[in-house]
Amino acid sequence: MPLNTQTIEHLARHLENAERSVTAVHKITDDYPDMDWQDAYAIQDAIRAIKEQRGVRIAGLKMGLTSHAKMRQMGVVDPIHGFITDYGSVPDGGSIETAGLIHPKVEAEIAFVTSKPLSGPGCHVGAVLAATAFVLPAVEVIDSRYENFRFDLKSVIADNTSSARYVLGGQPLPVQGLDLRHLGVVMERNGRVVATASAAAVLGHPAQSVAMLANLLGERGREIPAGTLILTGGVTEAVAVEAGDNINVRFQHLGSVSMRFV
Ligand code: OOG
Ligand code: MG
């Protein structure tokens, strides 16, 4: 871990200020090329602590870059994880102020809510399905704090994986009897289809994303508590949005999620 605690704290404040002042910054690895994975997650943890000190509640966890479409789009190859907040939650059908965001993009995702704790190493799809209370259709609004949405893995991990807003919609359904691999997803912007996918795009099965999260947390002596909301990662490429856009995503069996950008 080449960065000292002071630098980690400094970079956490730098990125958190960028979010709050809606200003893009250079990716941090430009100035700290030697930082490692541990540093990146330590900066993310420090951002979390800063927010919690301010009274923000952590609403759940997220996985990112879990589909090939997303990995190809961002030029990276490994899934990453971060957290979502209470202020990031937008009601289904609600409006999202673009003035509060730098360059938002939307992603269609399957959300899980756990009924039991999950821990790694060795967590697998079976364990996840046995510990899932229900799944929900979701749209994540990501907003990298980095200029032109360009980053490497360490920079984006430190930036809490571009986490910004999310909308949960449709209908909660138990996983029993639901084939999550063959679940079709259609994203429309202003009534035109802009992306389609099957949920298998996420690591073959979205529950695999939750298993990977448990295993990644396990490496750091943590687990996924019961009752955790988890966004499993975009099934398609993220789609850039601007004020005036209406987004509607239809999920087979689960219903739809919509929002407008103002
Ligand atoms: C990183 C976050 C990716 C997802 O669902 O893949 C993510 C980014 O692309 O900015 O949330
Ligand atoms: Mg996402």
Side-chain angles (χ1 to χ4, degrees), residues 209-255:
S209 171
V210 179
M212 189 180 265
L213 175 62
N215 291 329
L216 288 168
L217 291 175
E219 285 171 18
R220 300 164 70 216
R222 299 181 190 179
E223 62 172 24
I224 304 174
T228 303
L229 167 67
I230 301 154
L231 301 180
T232 54
V235 298
T236 64
E237 286 191 2
V239 172
V241 287
E242 51 188 47
D245 283 343
N246 281 291
I247 298 294
N248 183 48
V249 185
R250 284 181 280 128
F251 293 76
Q252 192 177 10
H253 307 303
L254 300 179

Side-chain angles (χ1 to χ4, degrees), residues 62-66 70 74 80 107 109 140 142 144 149 151 156 161-162 233-234:
K62 61 165 282 190
M63 285 289 283
L65 308 176
T66 49
K70 281 288 309 184
M74 304 321 292
I80 55 179
E107 304 179 316
E109 309 205 7
E140 185 182 25
I142 51 169
S144 176
F149 236 105
F151 46 69
V156 69
T161 67
S162 310

